[in-house]
Amino acid sequence: MCLSQYCHGWRRLALATPLLGAGVAATASAAGNYEFLAAPQTDLNRVFRLDKATGEVGACQYGLKEGSSIGVTLCYPPGEGAKAGTFSEYALVASRHTGEGGVFRVDLRSGMMSICFVLNESSVVCTPQAK
């Protein structure tokens, strides 16, 4: 039995700790919503980015900048078919074809697939989903 005024504070802390833990777990599960995958093409330094919940696909690669020894990061925004879609569970899969500059976007819940690639060095596009 506690006779001090501090016991009430400890009791409140003990009751609040599980709630704080649940909040931290929810934040941690929201983090890591992206997946990254390099294009299988061996002479291309392109990496695709996927939002695993919405299926949105973008890509970035290294580019040379005239007059600079560092270079730049060139990023391509989602274009036709690559923008956020139906909420699901998506993943990226690379083929083993060393000349392939694109990647497969798969919907793990429905089994639907599309192929995503950079079109005309302007944006990422994806083919219509098929099964």
Side-chain angles (χ1 to χ4, degrees):
M1 179 167 190
C2 185
L3 301 175
S4 141
Q5 65 183 7
Y6 299 107
C7 290
H8 295 296
W10 285 107
R11 193 173 301 142
R12 279 191 221 128
L13 181 60
L15 292 173
T17 301
L19 296 175
L20 290 173
V24 170
T27 302
S29 68
N33 196 37
Y34 291 95
E35 179 178 329
F36 300 89
L37 183 67
Q41 186 174 334
T42 57
D43 63 345
L44 182 63
N45 61 2
R46 184 171 293 152
V47 174
F48 287 87
R49 178 196 70 246
L50 169 76
D51 183 314
K52 295 189 295 186
T54 67
E56 182 179 270
V57 180
C60 293
Q61 70 183 47
Y62 174 78
L64 298 175
K65 182 177 181 181
E66 190 149 336
S68 175
S69 60
I70 297 174
V72 295
T73 303
L74 302 171
C75 291
Y76 306 101
E80 185 177 343
K83 294 181 180 173
T86 306
F87 184 80
S88 191
E89 185 178 357
Y90 296 92
L92 292 176
V93 177
S95 71
R96 293 183 181 234
H97 190 273
T98 58
E100 180 61 56
V103 295
F104 290 86
R105 175 182 58 188
V106 298
D107 184 331
L108 298 173
R109 293 182 184 170
S110 70
M112 301 289 279
M113 290 190 229
S114 57
I115 300 167
C116 302
F117 54 95
V118 174
L119 180 64
N120 298 328
E121 300 297 317
S122 65
S123 65
V124 176
V125 296
C126 298
T127 61
Q129 290 188 336
K131 207 181 216 186

